[in-house]
Amino acid sequence: MPSSFTVRSASGYEQLMGRWSRQLAGPFIDFSGIAKGERVLDVGCGTGSLTFALPQAAEIAEVEAIDFSPIFVEEARRRNSDPRITISEGDACAIPFPDGGFDRALSLLVLHFVPAADKAVAEMRRVVRPGGVVAAAVWDHLGGMPGMRMMLDTVAAQDEQARSLRAHYCFQPMMRPDEMRQVFMAQGLESVEQTSLMIRMDYENFADYWDPFAAGEGPLGKYVAGLDPESRARAGEAVRAAYEAGQPDGPRSFAAVAWACRGVVPGGG
């Protein structure tokens, strides 16, 4: 089942989101737990933010990483130099591994882009052994992403299409309070816990913030790329004014909050 995330290039994704997912990987691993000798599955690995952080956090035995996008898989493979890591194309809703083969299945910033996110959680549970851990994190687009809301709210004031995009963007799967916890429990996971993780997104200037959108990366970039030239220029100037907020262009910092959830596969000793 394809992701709803739009990716045009690995480098564009890195500027849009990869640099922030790398920051979030550490807190997510701390919350999810990891132990020496484990076999771990990274579901929706992207360019490898979580994949490459896992061996640095513990002396794990193996990491299998999958992603639906061949662009991401190619880039992650290019970056990989660790023989313990294998990266391949795969569907979060039909994980290409047998039952119970992993100690943990982790998914960082992916499930909100999977239309049948509950099926992905079920698949993650299936491939983890009894007593193993399933964990995931998604951005809180409604209340925890002021940098992205700034862009969305600005263009929504100009355009009905942007208002429709905002309605979808803010309520993607797993984003409502307690939604992930309820899905984890519905899939039979035990000892389910949910929390919030926060990083900061720091930009050098407006171009550092805006360029990935202008290049068509991600759902918001797809919207910008679909505008006619005049509307695109008008949107860019309006978002620039919001970013600068009456001060000269330069560095800006935005908090970014993710929902994170973990649960244990029943049957462990």
Side-chain angles (χ1 to χ4, degrees):
M1 181 173 295
S3 165
S4 62
F5 188 86
T6 303
V7 56
R8 292 197 172 190
S9 71
S11 60
Y13 170 80
E14 280 295 299
Q15 188 176 3
L16 174 68
M17 195 55 63
R19 51 182 167 169
W20 314 128
S21 59
R22 283 196 298 275
Q23 284 191 33
L24 190 62
F28 177 60
I29 291 171
D30 290 343
F31 172 72
S32 304
I34 195 76
K36 180 178 179 180
E38 288 189 335
R39 188 168 187 250
V40 183
L41 174 66
D42 180 2
V43 178
C45 64
T47 54
S49 296
L50 177 61
T51 304
F52 301 133
L54 286 164
Q56 299 174 13
E59 294 181 26
I60 57 175
E62 183 181 358
V63 177
E64 290 279 358
I66 63 170
D67 200 282
F68 195 83
S69 166
I71 294 173
F72 283 152
V73 170
E74 180 182 1
E75 178 63 13
R77 284 175 172 169
R78 186 188 68 80
R79 295 180 178 194
N80 184 35
S81 59
D82 191 327
R84 294 172 294 176
I85 295 173
T86 303
I87 302 157
S88 56
E89 289 187 42
D91 185 342
C93 293
I95 294 175
F97 295 105
D99 296 359
F102 294 95
D103 299 291
R104 296 177 199 265
L106 311 180
S107 182
L108 179 63
L109 304 179
V110 174
L111 293 185
H112 48 314
F113 294 114
V114 179
D118 56 340
K119 187 173 181 181
V121 174
E123 277 290 274
M124 291 170 71
R125 177 197 159 163
R126 178 185 65 77
V127 299
V128 171
R129 63 168 175 80
V133 171
V134 173
V138 303
W139 290 123
D140 176 9
H141 281 174
L142 176 67
M145 296 285 283
M148 301 300 160
R149 283 295 303 272
M150 177 182 71
M151 184 271 196
L152 258 180
D153 291 342
T154 299
V155 295
Q158 301 178 327
D159 179 36
E160 175 61 34
Q161 182 184 353
R163 289 191 283 277
S164 297
L165 171 62
R166 180 176 59 183
H168 170 74
Y169 184 83
C170 289
F171 295 102
Q172 289 174 258
M174 304 293 189
M175 286 187 173
R176 297 174 188 269
D178 208 41
E179 183 179 359
M180 250 200 306
R181 189 180 71 86
Q182 293 294 335
V183 170
F184 273 45
M185 292 174 63
Q187 297 302 327
L189 292 162
E190 299 177 342
S191 303
V192 176
E193 299 178 47
Q194 183 169 303
T195 192
S196 295
L197 306 174
M198 191 191 86
I199 62 167
R200 295 202 69 90
M201 294 181 169
D202 298 316
Y203 298 94
E204 294 180 6
N205 49 39
F206 178 68
D208 189 30
Y209 172 85
W210 179 250
D211 284 355
F213 299 130
E217 292 294 342
L220 307 190
K222 183 178 180 181
Y223 161 78
V224 173
L227 296 173
D228 62 74
E230 181 179 349
S231 298
R232 191 180 309 127
R234 185 170 64 249
E237 287 307 307
V239 177
R240 175 187 286 276
Y243 176 91
E244 293 177 353
Q247 296 295 312
D249 190 13
R252 300 291 190 272
S253 182
F254 301 94
V257 178
W259 296 113
C261 193
R262 68 184 177 203
V264 177
V265 177

